[in-house]
Amino acid sequence: MATTLTVSGLRTHPVVAPLKYPVTTASGTLGEAPLLLIDLTTKEGITGRAYLLAYQRLALKPLDELVKALAATIVGEKLVPAELEPKLRSRFTLLGGARGLAGIAVSGLDMALWDALAQARGAPLVELLGGKARPIRAYNSLGMVSAMNAEEVAGRSFNDGFKAAKFKIGWPSFTEDLAAVRAFRKAAPAGATLMVDFNQSLSVAEAISRGRRLDGEGLAWIEEPVRCDDHFGCAKVAASVETPIQIGENFSGTFEMAESLRLRASDYVMPDPQQIGGVSGWLRAAALAHAAGIACSTHLFIETSAHLLPVTPTCHWLEFLDVAGAVLQEPPRAVEGAVTASSRPGIGLAWDDAAVKRYRVE
């Protein structure tokens, strides 16, 4: 098995995959999954794979072009993530840094680099990172819940042994939010862990008001109550509300995460692999969370997250929201409410070629 790899090229596959259930939030709806599938090729014949979520179709083409252009700058380079990831990131220094689509493009290539490297070593990514695959507790991640549909949503939310679920609130009035929480709690199995997500829909004052009134409802956390870049405002919420505050899916790299931790903007963090900087960025984020003594969960990217959480010192929860299963040969699955990393070399991603062809967009 090759131990030294050289980047030779890139193939991308822009697809729009169906979701089993649309994910409606207080800030918008994800009715389908615009994905960019990445195949990073090497001269040694190993292909590193990763995927990115563009959220909207209109972002898929520019993301595709950006990833391809960025990959062209490392063709012929030895595959050493510790050298290539900062080189990729440096391309955007004069553009204000690797943020937004630029940061997502860097993250996607970084994940593909690590996948290829682990394959070359004949090991699952988690083992390359110094860990061992183990079941990681997961929660079922859901869309908006109201008092009217709580029983129906809860009824299908605890399949596959899930013992925890997160659902969206942020209705026009707190009365509606509270009714949704209580209706879902009533319909959920006894002892179930419940989290709620406002998806940045509240002002700081309203977040404090609603958060305080939710304090007696036994929620494990309240997620993204205010605008994602208002860390100072979120710190006010965290200091004023007893229920733990969870943020992090929109940390645009670890410098932003470090600033958030400095301000004590939340009680927990949940970085997103495509926003935080791929595998390389995640390792830095996990170290920051460890140093701060803050529990660290993942956001989306089930397949990669199952490899990353076992090497995260303050490992907390894995979010189970399957956005890519429709184009994978082996979609992620939960067993007794937990997810275990693939035992295949690398991340374990393999495209379903027929599905990729079916859902491909130009």
Side-chain angles (χ1 to χ4, degrees):
M1 185 69 69
T3 56
T4 302
L5 301 178
T6 304
V7 178
S8 63
L10 182 83
R11 296 188 302 272
T12 59
H13 315 279
V15 300
V16 177
L19 295 175
K20 188 173 183 179
Y21 299 105
V23 182
T24 300
T25 80
S27 299
T29 297
L30 184 66
E32 56 191 11
L35 302 170
L36 185 65
L37 313 184
I38 295 171
D39 289 333
L40 185 77
T41 59
T42 66
K43 291 182 179 179
E44 293 73 20
I46 291 175
T47 299
R49 294 184 177 86
Y51 67 83
L52 297 169
L53 174 62
Y55 284 95
Q56 297 186 34
R57 285 191 184 220
L58 60 85
L60 195 51
K61 183 175 180 179
L63 181 60
D64 185 20
E65 295 298 327
L66 190 54
V67 169
K68 287 187 289 191
L70 195 57
T73 69
I74 58 171
V75 169
E77 299 270 7
K78 296 298 182 184
L79 199 162
V80 182
E83 296 178 2
L84 293 186
E85 189 263 353
K87 181 174 182 177
L88 292 169
R89 191 167 293 280
S90 70
R91 302 294 184 189
F92 301 103
T93 301
L94 298 180
L95 290 171
R99 308 172 62 83
L101 289 184
I104 291 172
V106 171
S107 296
L109 290 174
D110 181 81
M111 287 187 275
L113 291 170
W114 278 98
D115 180 52
L117 187 60
Q119 289 184 57
R121 303 291 170 83
L125 176 61
V126 64
E127 293 182 10
L128 180 67
L129 298 177
K132 184 178 180 181
R134 60 182 173 86
I136 301 294
R137 63 177 181 172
Y139 63 86
N140 203 351
S141 189
L142 314 167
M144 290 287 281
V145 166
S146 69
M148 298 294 292
N149 71 357
E151 184 174 0
E152 173 196 349
V153 176
R156 58 176 166 79
S157 299
F158 296 93
N159 298 325
D160 301 315
F162 283 111
K163 299 175 179 62
K166 182 181 77 181
F167 55 95
K168 318 289 189 182
I169 54 175
W171 295 101
S173 71
F174 174 74
T175 300
E176 294 168 282
D177 283 343
L178 183 60
V181 169
R182 290 181 173 175
F184 196 91
R185 171 70 73 188
K186 182 178 180 180
T193 299
L194 303 184
M195 307 88 156
V196 296
D197 187 354
F198 279 105
N199 285 105
Q200 310 176 58
S201 61
L202 306 177
S203 67
V204 172
E206 185 66 12
I208 292 172
S209 174
R210 294 197 190 196
R212 284 174 171 169
R213 286 183 285 174
L214 286 172
D215 275 340
E217 300 303 317
L219 297 170
W221 73 57
I222 295 171
E223 189 172 324
E224 281 202 321
V226 300
R227 201 180 70 238
C228 69
D229 59 347
D230 185 6
H231 301 299
F232 184 74
C234 202
K236 289 183 178 180
V237 179
S240 303
V241 176
E242 291 182 8
T243 305
I245 300 300
Q246 171 75 281
I247 66 172
E249 68 186 71
N250 286 295
F251 286 153
S252 185
T254 46
F255 292 122
E256 185 172 316
M257 177 176 171
E259 178 66 5
S260 180
L261 291 173
R262 187 185 69 80
L263 292 171
R264 299 183 180 180
S266 64
D267 300 284
Y268 303 141
V269 290
M270 55 180 305
D272 180 302
Q274 79 168 17
Q275 297 282 1
I276 204 66
V279 175
S280 298
W282 179 273
L283 296 176
R284 295 191 292 268
L288 285 174
H290 186 204
I294 288 185
C296 186
S297 300
T298 54
H299 180 257
L300 301 183
F301 299 92
I302 300 167
E303 306 82 8
T304 304
S305 296
H307 290 274
L308 297 176
L309 282 172
V311 297
T312 300
T314 58
C315 172
H316 200 195
W317 287 92
L318 181 148
E319 180 178 35
F320 196 95
L321 177 54
D322 182 13
V323 298
V327 293
L328 297 177
Q329 288 184 21
E330 298 178 7
R333 64 191 187 97
V335 178
E336 293 302 312
V339 176
T340 303
S342 170
S343 60
R344 298 170 58 181
I347 296 172
L349 295 172
W351 313 136
D352 179 334
D353 292 336
V356 171
K357 183 178 180 180
R358 183 181 317 128
Y359 299 125
R360 186 179 179 94
V361 295
E362 298 301 334

